[in-house]
Amino acid sequence: MKVWTFALSAGVLLAQHSFTRADIEDGSRLYSNTCAACHGANGDRVSGVDLMHGRFRRAATDDGVAAIIQKGIPGTAMPPHALTDFQAGSIVAYLRSVAAEAGSVSGTGDVARGKAIFEGKGACQTCHSVRNSGSLVGPDLTDIGAIRRAPQLERSLLDPDGEILAQNRTYRVVTREGTVITGRLLNHDVFTIQLMDAQGPRSFQKANLKESGFVEKSPMPSYQGKLSAQELADLVSYLVSLKGIQTQ
Ligand code: HEC
Ligand code: HEC
């Protein structure tokens, strides 16, 4: 097998296409939905492959990585993905942004104490469930540790309205007829918007909408100032430990 070394600076693709923070969030969402099942939240679940440290065996440039994402790697389990250049690029920009923030990963807390805070002081079960225990108002967190990394989890606790985790922000569209539909934003382009609501994925022509946009506030309260740094670290460690039903 040909071994490539990473030759170009991390910013090449980012600079060329100038991915915004919002594009990188889209890339993060695409990664979670499309890639994490095989590659894991930390990009290291496929043996010999490490997607989040800025070095790729089979690609020397960001555009090369984007091409792998789109075309797959024939003869291996890496499938092709029907993504646009921009979408593939936004995933690469996301992988780069994770590599750049490496070192800021927390999760140095105590899992058992974190679980106690989750079920007690934090009252997280008012809205979330873990393995069928708790409420379904918010997303089920049974495998949150398999799809989100510690810094993202910490941000979702401190700043639920923040920019980084657009994944779960409620998106709202109002049709010309006045019907209001809210759900999770799956994708959007110049002409269409795709939402996931209780009925499943739905697509809307923008031309037929009176309004569309994120609902500004998350129903989730911020825990900034409500938990000590240690409690926060414990809670994040507990969330990181939630990797689905089978592994618990
Ligand atoms: C069905 C499982 C599967 C899915 C889904 C998948 N991959 Fe892969 N991917 C693999 C496997 C297995 C390899 C290793 C192939 C090999 O080299 O033998 C791989 C290799 C790669 C490589 C090459 C790594 C390197 O060091 O050169 C990149 C980049 C990559 N995947 C990115 C992605 C991205 C981004 C997504 C989501 C859009 C994705 N993959 C989705 C299984 C998957
Ligand atoms: C009043 C309801 C409510 C409470 C209480 C609440 N959450 Fe949430 N939470 C939500 C909703 C709704 C979302 C999805 C929207 C968002 O991300 O803000 C969410 C999102 C999250 C996410 C991001 C999920 C993802 O897929 O990235 C995490 C992690 C999370 N909550 C953890 C917690 C923890 C831990 C607690 C307790 C300390 C808690 N939440 C308390 C409603 C709540």
Side-chain angles (χ1 to χ4, degrees):
M1 184 204 311
K2 181 148 185 154
V3 176
W4 295 92
T5 50
F6 179 62
L8 295 178
S9 89
V12 173
L13 188 96
L14 287 144
Q16 248 171 31
H17 302 280
S18 22
F19 287 95
T20 63
R21 170 62 70 191
D23 298 331
I24 293 174
E25 286 169 32
D26 286 347
S28 157
R29 191 176 61 239
L30 277 170
Y31 180 86
S32 296
N33 293 339
T34 323
C35 322
C38 289
H39 285 284
N42 297 311
D44 58 1
R45 203 189 279 162
V46 171
S47 102
V49 174
D50 182 359
L51 297 180
M52 299 195 180
H53 288 90
R55 277 178 301 276
F56 301 93
R57 291 180 308 169
R58 294 179 181 266
T61 65
D62 289 355
D63 289 342
V65 179
I68 289 178
I69 292 171
Q70 290 171 309
K71 294 179 191 141
I73 305 173
T76 77
M78 173 65 194
H81 292 90
L83 298 170
T84 64
D85 290 349
F86 191 80
Q87 288 172 320
S90 73
I91 296 178
V92 180
Y94 165 67
L95 298 176
R96 291 296 184 202
S97 76
V98 176
E101 80 178 6
S104 73
V105 176
S106 53
T108 50
D110 181 278
V111 172
R113 282 202 312 251
K115 184 169 193 280
I117 295 165
F118 189 87
E119 293 169 357
K121 180 176 179 182
C124 312
Q125 287 172 310
T126 336
C127 295
H128 293 285
S129 61
V130 172
R131 273 166 274 138
N132 296 325
S133 155
S135 148
L136 292 173
V137 171
D140 181 283
L141 299 178
T142 302
D143 63 354
I144 193 71
I147 58 173
R148 303 266 181 266
R149 297 160 38 260
Q152 298 173 308
L153 291 168
E154 190 177 292
R155 276 195 294 263
S156 60
L157 295 176
L158 296 179
D159 183 15
D161 299 326
E163 277 199 282
I164 305 293
L165 274 181
Q167 288 92 320
N168 281 314
R169 258 192 282 169
T170 306
Y171 200 85
R172 176 175 180 273
V173 301
V174 182
T175 64
R176 288 229 167 130
E177 296 74 38
T179 312
V180 179
I181 298 112
T182 56
R184 191 158 58 87
L185 182 65
L186 294 175
N187 205 350
H188 59 98
D189 59 31
V190 182
F191 302 110
T192 66
I193 290 176
Q194 282 84 42
L195 288 190
M196 174 72 90
D197 76 354
Q199 300 177 24
R202 306 174 59 168
S203 188
F204 301 91
Q205 297 290 327
K206 282 188 180 167
N208 297 334
L209 297 175
K210 262 200 313 217
E211 280 175 39
S212 65
F214 281 109
V215 176
E216 280 305 313
K217 295 220 50 88
S218 166
M220 169 147 160
S222 166
Y223 288 85
Q224 182 93 55
K226 294 183 199 152
L227 297 172
S228 71
Q230 185 59 52
E231 288 172 327
L232 189 65
D234 293 343
L235 198 49
V236 169
S237 292
Y238 170 61
L239 295 173
V240 165
S241 79
L242 299 176
K243 302 247 160 100
I245 290 166
Q246 306 90 315
T247 56
Q248 291 290 315

